[in-house]
């Protein structure tokens, strides 16, 4: 009979707490704890305050980009322009910091991201162009504009420019708190507001949503605008954190953002994805980078390993889902 | 020793159990007819048999051996072949290629097309479908012929168990006769056939035993000689059906929607009609008559070129109290990947928010009340993705989505397509009740009996024009059909 029971249906255990399936959250927690455990036991420098603070700061840029990307991916679209928006928002903010009060300069940087997102969204929704093509074009256009604004890096003289990037809230960097707040708002937006639910539904079946009397175009424009805003904010924060804005920064950032969403279980065809799991995806990505750095792995090998680890995580999820 | 035996099979989706210990037994040469209302669990059972879904618990035995197909491929290896309602042929490839895919006869390493065509033809003749030309592209065959190719394909590897899911839905006349002859031939060859169908007369004629499913259980196993259609319907519905259509309504109220001179070139022209409170108006037309296009236009989903009575957008139509249940649930009625709860609240998200946030508690209450009122199965379906529901229950979810808006004018496009008789009756009752509450209903249907039986008045369309308006009580199928074909009645 033992051979029989080996063939009997096997079910992966699912963690259900109070009627909610927390398997994914538990999986990420486990994965992150495992990473941290490995890192802490194999590297002396991992658990140092300097490294942990730097980890929390590194999460911010990719985190903000991933949240915006998730909103776009949920509609069934993609936003390739976020890396260029990071560069543009940063360089404009740094450039204006000489003449304007710093908070105003930073607001302009974020606003530039919103404006680019609005253009992306309008082209996708009003003119029914493919998101991949539209944002590929804006990727190169916005990058060009960043260089047009300034070919050379700008480092504002006013030390107040660094305040945002260096301030601490207790043991946690302010920018990490900001990112977590953005995720919290994003989570409520996508699960608890009509607009957020509409965005998820559009990715599932846009025609059904249209026939339910919901303005599909406006919601698609909103999704790209949110992504642009997140990218603008990420650019401003990055410039403030490093103290210098470069027109060349942010190349291929969009790929990390997409990877974080996908690791978090988002479907690139839209309609499926979670804010919490995306945050988990961000943590996993940043931990991988940090670990490989601590081990002193050569940067080209880092790219190779990162790619392989992403594939592995996604494979595990796929197996998990098809068994569920 | 049974050819196939299922014991105590359970299946759950997202924590909701949809099969509660189903058992099934059949010997070589048997034909098991499986009947049940939509949502009874037939489709889930088939998917488990064919390896497309894993069972949550339970056991399956074949010829005395414990088996556990984990994928369609496993099921093939075990000799279980399934022909689904949906066609899976590659339309660009020839019948031969579709049949022999992956097993072409070769000569000098290249495919020997002459031998391949010959083998395909021989196969088709053997199963009684010799009328099909193996060199034809599959996409050019009629749906009925494509279905026959599917069945032939399933028989290539001499299966031990053949599962047919609504095989006759698209077959008629000689094709249907060929299918029946084939099933008798398979019986002699010792194949166990599992025949799932809504068409009870066929099941009674073909099956050696009939399994009646209801609410995820097998509630009765009958022998065709000892039972009849009435008993089966009664068992499926859980009650005897006094009559299919409710009594007609009279004393219709005021006009709630008026259409005049409505035109969309290439689809319909100069359409005029009125919808009154308390009245169910039927709209009959053959394929290509423009009936669905008309409904979409009135609802504002496609702009009118001339005439009055069409809304400018779905949002405007909904604001005016109109609702449209479209004919294609999967493509225009539901967001299949979202939960039943989300799907039902799609039309009310914006109207039931508290501040910027959704009123989740109210949403849950409303949805639970609708699940209860429309008897949607399984009863705990609210957190399940809509895709896991059966066709009839999906249709009820679509209806619920609109009823939550309290519409005054209800446009129903083929609301009973792909829906079993018991659920149909429920839908007719529901629509009747709504009309009696004062709604104006337009019931678009290509089912003659329904379009006359369930309505008070019938509009007939032919090639984009209304060719007749009849009182349902005074007309007959022949008159409606004649008008729909452009002939004077």
């Amino acid at each position: 009979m033992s051979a029989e029971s080996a063939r009997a249906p096997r079910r992966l255990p699912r963690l259900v707490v109070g009627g909610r399936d927390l398997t994914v959250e538990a999986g990420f927690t486990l994965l992150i704890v495992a990473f941290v455990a490995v890192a802490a036991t194999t590297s002396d420098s991992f658990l140092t305050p300097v490294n942990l603070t730097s980890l929390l700061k590194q999460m911010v840029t990719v985190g903000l980009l991933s949240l915006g990307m998730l909103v776009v991916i949920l509609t069934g679209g993609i936003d390739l322009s976020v890396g260029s928006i990071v560069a543009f928002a940063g360089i404009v903010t740094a450039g204006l910091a000489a003449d304007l009060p710093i908070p105003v300069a930073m607001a302009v940087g974020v606003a530039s991201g919103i404006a680019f997102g609005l253009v992306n969204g309008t082209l996708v929704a009003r003119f029914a162009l493919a998101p991949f093509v539209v944002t590929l074009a804006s990727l190169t256009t916005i990058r060009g504009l960043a260089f047009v604004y300034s070919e050379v890096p700008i480092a504002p003289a006013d030390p107040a420019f660094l305040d945002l990037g260096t301030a601490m809230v207790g043991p946690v960097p302010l920018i990490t708190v900001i990112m977590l707040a953005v995720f919290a708002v994003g989570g409520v937006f996508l699960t608890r507001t009509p607009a957020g639910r509409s965005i998820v539904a559009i990715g599932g079946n846009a025609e059904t949503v249209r026939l339910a009397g919901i303005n599909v175009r406006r919601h698609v424009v909103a999704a790209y605008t949110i992504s642009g805003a997140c990218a603008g904010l990420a650019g401003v924060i990055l410039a403030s954190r490093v103290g210098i804005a470069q027109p060349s920064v942010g190349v291929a950032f969009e790929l990390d953002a997409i990877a974080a969403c996908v690791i978090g279980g988002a479907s690139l065809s839209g309609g499926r994805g979670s804010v919490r799991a995306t945050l988990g995806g961000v943590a996993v990505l940043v931990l991988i980078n940090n670990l490989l750095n601590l081990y002193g792995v050569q940067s080209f090998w880092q790219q190779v390993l990162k790619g392989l680890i992403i594939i592995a995580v996604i494979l595990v999820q796929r197996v998990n889902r098809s068994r569920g | 020793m049974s050819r196939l035996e299922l014991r105590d099979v359970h299946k759950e989706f997202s924590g909701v159990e949809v099969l509660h210990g189903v058992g099934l037994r059949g010997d070589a040469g048997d034909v098991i007819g499986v009947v049940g209302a939509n949502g009874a669990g037939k489709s889930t059972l088939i998917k488990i048999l064919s390896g497309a879904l894993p069972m949550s618990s339970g056991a399956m035995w074949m010829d005395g051996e414990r088996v556990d197909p984990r994928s369609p491929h496993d099921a093939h290896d075990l000799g279980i072949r399934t022909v689904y309602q949906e066609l899976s042929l590659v339309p660009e490839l020839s019948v031969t290629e579709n049949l022999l895919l992956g097993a072409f006869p070769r000569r000098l390493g290249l495919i020997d097309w002459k031998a391949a065509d010959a083998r395909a033809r021989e196969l088709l003749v053997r199963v009684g479908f010799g009328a099909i030309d193996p060199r034809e592209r599959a996409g050019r065959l009629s749906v009925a012929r494509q279905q026959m190719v599917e069945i032939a394909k399933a028989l290539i590897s001499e299966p031990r168990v053949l599962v047919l899911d609504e095989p006759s839905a698209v077959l008629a006349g000689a094709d249907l006769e060929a299918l029946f002859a084939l099933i008798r031939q398979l019986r002699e060859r010792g194949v166990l056939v599992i025949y799932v169908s809504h068409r009870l007369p066929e099941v009674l004629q073909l099956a050696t035993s009939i399994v009646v499913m209801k609410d995820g259980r097998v509630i009765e196993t009958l022998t065709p000689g000892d039972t009849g259609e009435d008993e089966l319907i009664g068992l499926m519905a859980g009650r005897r059906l006094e009559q299919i259509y409710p009594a007609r309504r009279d004393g219709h109220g005021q006009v709630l929607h008026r259409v005049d001179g409505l035109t969309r070139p290439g689809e319909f022209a100069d359409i005029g009609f009125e919808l009154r409170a308390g009245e169910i108006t039927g709209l009959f037309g053959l394929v290509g008559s423009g009936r669905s296009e008309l409904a979409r236009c009135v609802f504002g989903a496609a702009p009118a070129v001339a005439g009055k009575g069409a809304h400018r957008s779905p949002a405007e139509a909904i604001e005016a109290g109109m609702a449209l249940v479209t004919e294609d649930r999967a493509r225009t009625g539901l967001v299949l990947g979202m939960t039943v709860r989300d799907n039902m609240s799609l039309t009310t998200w914006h109207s039931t928010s508290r501040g910027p946030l959704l009123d989740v508690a109210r949403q849950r209450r409303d949805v639970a009340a609708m699940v209860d009122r429309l008897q949607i199965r399984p009863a705990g379906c609210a957190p399940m993705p809509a895709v896991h529901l059966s066709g009839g229950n999906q249709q009820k979810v679509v209806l619920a989505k609109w009823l939550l808006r309290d519409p005054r004018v209800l446009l129903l496009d083929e609301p009973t397509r792909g829906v079993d008789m018991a659920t149909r009756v429920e839908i007719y009752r529901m629509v009747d009740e709504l009309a009696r509450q004062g709604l104006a209903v337009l019931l678009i249907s290509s089912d003659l009996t329904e379009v006359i039986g369930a309505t008070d008045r019938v509009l007939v369309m032919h090639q984009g024009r209304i060719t007749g308006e009849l009182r349902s009580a005074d007309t007959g199928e022949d008159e409606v059909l004649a008008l729909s074909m452009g002939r004077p009645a």
Side-chain angles (χ1 to χ4, degrees), chain B residues 100-372:
Chain B
L100 302 181
L101 214 58
F104 294 112
R106 286 161 192 269
R107 206 169 56 179
L108 303 173
L110 298 175
I111 294 173
D112 183 347
W113 284 115
K114 245 171 114 176
D117 285 339
R119 188 184 294 179
R121 181 169 290 120
E122 177 201 313
L123 188 77
L124 288 167
V125 169
R126 183 156 57 89
V127 298
F129 302 157
I132 299 172
D133 178 0
R135 283 168 308 180
E136 186 67 86
R137 268 199 299 129
R140 290 175 59 95
L141 296 174
S142 69
V143 178
R145 290 283 159 89
Q146 290 188 38
Q147 173 92 57
M148 293 156 82
V149 174
E150 293 268 7
I151 295 171
K153 192 175 157 191
L155 293 172
I156 289 182
S157 50
E158 292 286 329
R160 290 194 279 172
V161 175
L162 178 68
V163 184
L164 298 171
D165 184 10
E166 298 286 350
S168 58
V170 297
L171 300 181
D175 292 339
L176 199 55
E177 284 308 315
L179 173 70
F180 291 175
L182 173 65
I183 289 175
R184 282 189 282 270
Q185 183 195 337
L186 289 173
R187 288 192 58 188
E188 283 161 27
R189 301 219 304 256
V191 178
L192 168 63
V193 177
I194 296 179
Y195 192 93
V196 181
S197 180
H198 284 149
R199 295 196 184 175
L200 301 179
E202 282 169 20
V203 176
L204 286 162
Q205 185 191 338
L206 284 170
T208 52
S209 69
I210 299 176
V211 166
V212 184
M213 291 189 73
K214 181 171 193 292
D215 294 337
R217 290 189 173 81
V218 171
I219 55 163
E220 197 86 60
T221 303
L222 302 158
T223 317
D226 304 337
T227 185
E229 245 180 284
D230 292 344
E231 186 186 13
L232 289 177
I233 293 178
L235 284 168
M236 284 160 60
R239 59 175 191 277
R240 300 269 163 189
L241 304 174
E242 304 85 68
Q243 59 179 129
I244 294 175
Y245 302 109
R248 292 208 163 78
R249 296 131 299 266
D250 46 25
H252 308 134
Q254 69 196 94
V255 173
L256 292 184
H257 193 78
R258 180 177 285 122
V259 170
D260 191 17
L262 205 61
T263 301
R264 259 176 74 82
E267 291 182 354
F268 51 82
D270 199 22
I271 301 286
F273 61 84
E274 291 173 344
L275 300 176
R276 293 185 198 90
E279 186 183 32
I280 301 179
T281 306
L283 175 60
F284 181 83
L286 300 172
V287 173
S289 61
R291 57 197 150 102
S292 298
E293 290 81 357
L294 174 61
R296 283 173 54 81
C297 178
V298 169
F299 189 67
V305 171
K308 295 196 190 85
H311 287 288
R312 278 171 303 180
S313 71
E316 189 194 279
I318 292 166
E319 211 48 53
M322 187 177 274
L324 169 66
V325 174
T326 55
E327 62 176 332
D328 190 337
R329 291 186 286 278
R331 281 169 52 192
T332 54
L334 292 167
V335 184
L336 286 172
M338 284 187 116
T339 62
V340 168
R341 187 179 291 138
D342 271 335
N343 270 291
M344 268 193 210
S345 13
L346 205 54
T347 51
T348 42
W349 277 341
H350 288 87
S351 54
T352 61
S353 297
R354 275 196 309 199
L357 296 186
L358 289 168
D359 187 344
V360 177
R362 173 169 169 190
Q363 199 184 65
R364 279 170 189 264
R365 267 200 317 276
D366 288 352
V367 168
M370 271 296 167
V371 168
D372 195 46

Side-chain angles (χ1 to χ4, degrees), chain A residues 35-126:
Chain A
F35 265 116
V36 170
V38 170
T41 49
T42 56
S43 165
D44 294 336
S45 32
F46 180 79
L47 277 182
T48 58
V50 175
N51 186 55
L52 290 180
T53 309
S54 132
L55 251 178
L56 288 175
K57 286 186 171 180
Q58 280 166 24
M59 281 183 71
V60 174
T61 313
V62 61
L64 289 171
L65 296 184
S66 302
L67 183 78
M69 186 68 75
L70 176 69
V71 176
V72 170
I73 283 178
L74 281 169
T75 67
I78 195 97
D79 186 352
L80 301 179
S81 67
V82 292
S84 300
I85 295 179
V86 165
F88 187 90
I91 198 102
V92 164
T93 304
L96 294 177
D99 307 318
L100 295 174
I102 284 176
V104 176
M106 288 182 166
V108 172
V110 176
S112 72
I114 293 177
F116 288 131
L118 208 59
V119 172
N120 280 337
T122 305
L123 288 170
V124 168
R126 297 273 158 199

Side-chain angles (χ1 to χ4, degrees), chain B residues 7 22 52 66 100 131 236 257 384:
Chain B
R7 281 186 208 155
V22 169
R66 171 99 184 238
L100 302 181
M236 284 160 60
H257 193 78
M384 280 170 66

Side-chain angles (χ1 to χ4, degrees), chain A residues 4 7-11 188 191-195 197-198 200-201 204-205 207-214 219 323, chain B residues 12 55-56 68 70 296 299 301 314-315 318 330-335 338 342 346 349-350 353 356-358 360 402:
Chain A
E4 243 175 47
R7 290 281 284 162
R10 217 174 344 135
R11 298 165 63 203
V188 171
T191 54
R192 289 289 153 102
T193 66
R197 293 317 287 158
S198 300
V200 178
N205 188 338
E207 182 64 6
T208 297
V209 175
R210 187 176 81 94
L211 291 180
I214 294 169
H219 285 96
R323 291 277 165 79
Chain B
E12 64 172 51
M55 54 179 111
S56 299
D68 177 23
R70 294 296 190 82
R296 283 173 54 81
F299 189 67
I318 292 166
R331 281 169 52 192
T332 54
L334 292 167
V335 184
M338 284 187 116
D342 271 335
L346 205 54
W349 277 341
H350 288 87
S353 297
L357 296 186
L358 289 168
V360 177
W402 292 113

